[in-house]
Amino acid sequence: MEKHRTDCCALAQISRVNDDTSIAELEYAIKRLTKEKHANTEVGVTTGNGQTAIFTIVSPGEDTLAKNLVKVGFAPVHQFERRVGYPQTGDLTMYIKNL
């Protein structure tokens, strides 16, 4: 699991998650990122930490991941098509969580 900063300093993307990502791994990451959020108190300093919300994208068929994300407090907020060239087996879903 990896965290990626976005152009919005309050938002980060979580990647390298899939159906094999356990609830314990998700909970650990949420706890770590919440600590980072509270530890970052300097305005205008971009350390790469301090995000107040995280999101991830779930691919069609990643049903276990989707259920686990909801169990740890993520909410599905948007669906969109896969890129051209990928099998059109369903839409991608964005899940987001406030820390």
Side-chain angles (χ1 to χ4, degrees):
M1 184 179 324
E2 295 178 5
K3 177 185 88 170
H4 304 277
R5 291 181 294 171
T6 67
D7 284 342
C8 174
C9 64
L11 183 64
Q13 179 182 3
I14 302 299
S15 68
R16 308 247 187 251
V17 291
N18 57 39
D19 277 348
D20 295 326
T21 306
S22 70
I23 289 176
E25 289 173 293
L26 292 169
E27 289 174 334
Y28 176 80
I30 290 165
K31 183 183 249 185
R32 182 176 50 83
L33 293 171
T34 300
K35 283 181 182 178
E36 287 180 7
K37 174 185 109 170
H38 291 295
N40 186 39
T41 58
E42 299 181 71
V43 177
V45 176
T46 306
T47 61
N49 296 329
Q51 289 82 13
T52 61
I54 52 177
F55 76 93
T56 193
I57 307 300
V58 176
S59 295
E62 290 184 314
D63 300 328
T64 301
L65 175 60
K67 288 176 189 172
N68 288 347
L69 289 169
V70 170
K71 285 180 183 175
V72 297
F74 281 79
V77 295
H78 187 67
Q79 289 190 320
F80 50 99
E81 294 177 359
R82 297 181 84 187
R83 288 179 30 183
V84 173
Y86 281 83
Q88 294 301 315
T89 58
D91 290 337
L92 299 166
T93 304
M94 175 187 273
Y95 285 76
I96 193 164
K97 176 179 177 51
N98 289 326
L99 296 172

